[in-house]
Amino acid sequence: MIERIFILKRTEVFGELSHEILGSLAAHMEEEQLDPGERLFRKGDLGHAMYVLVEGTIRIHDGGRTLAELGADDVLGEVTALTSEVRTATATAVDECRLLRLDQDVLYALMA
């Protein structure tokens, strides 16, 4: 739990939140692992979660065009987790990745 709080504290999205709020977030996050080449989500999928990349690199792309490469402490999927819109790009692991997932329903409950 403490490791998750420190991870969240390093992110741009969650960095200014209190330790109490970060603890609540951390308690509800699920860890995921991706192998190289594995997709986290595809363009057109409904967004029901956001992710904090703990280790590894994720390529954000639209077909063969790379839009961004994200690394440790980057957050992805936050817009669609808040709006329930479809993903505008695909996210694929470049190498082995470790992520923390926060599901939309938990996010809404914590925001309330």
Side-chain angles (χ1 to χ4, degrees):
M1 178 71 86
I2 292 173
E3 178 195 19
R4 288 183 181 187
I5 291 171
F6 284 122
I7 291 166
L8 293 173
K9 192 72 173 164
R10 291 191 310 252
T11 68
E12 189 174 322
V13 173
F14 299 115
E16 298 298 318
L17 298 176
S18 71
H19 286 283
E20 181 181 350
I21 294 171
L22 292 175
S24 294
L25 285 169
H28 291 92
M29 298 183 95
E30 298 292 328
E31 189 166 318
E32 292 191 13
Q33 304 281 335
L34 294 176
D35 292 324
E38 190 174 351
R39 286 189 179 89
L40 180 61
F41 52 78
R42 294 177 190 272
K43 180 179 179 178
D45 289 349
L46 283 177
H48 297 292
M50 62 187 297
Y51 303 87
V52 176
L53 186 53
V54 178
E55 297 172 356
T57 305
I58 298 271
R59 177 177 167 247
I60 307 298
H61 57 99
D62 188 0
R65 189 176 72 145
T66 298
L67 305 172
E69 283 203 358
L70 305 177
D73 303 332
D74 283 330
V75 176
L76 59 154
E78 67 277 14
V79 173
T80 57
L82 290 169
T83 63
S84 297
E85 294 180 9
V86 296
R87 305 280 187 191
T88 58
T90 299
T92 304
V94 174
D95 46 24
E96 288 186 17
C97 292
R98 181 175 153 226
L99 304 105
L100 296 174
R101 183 187 78 239
L102 182 62
D103 292 324
Q104 183 182 59
D105 57 340
V106 173
L107 180 61
Y108 283 170
L110 292 171
M111 286 173 35

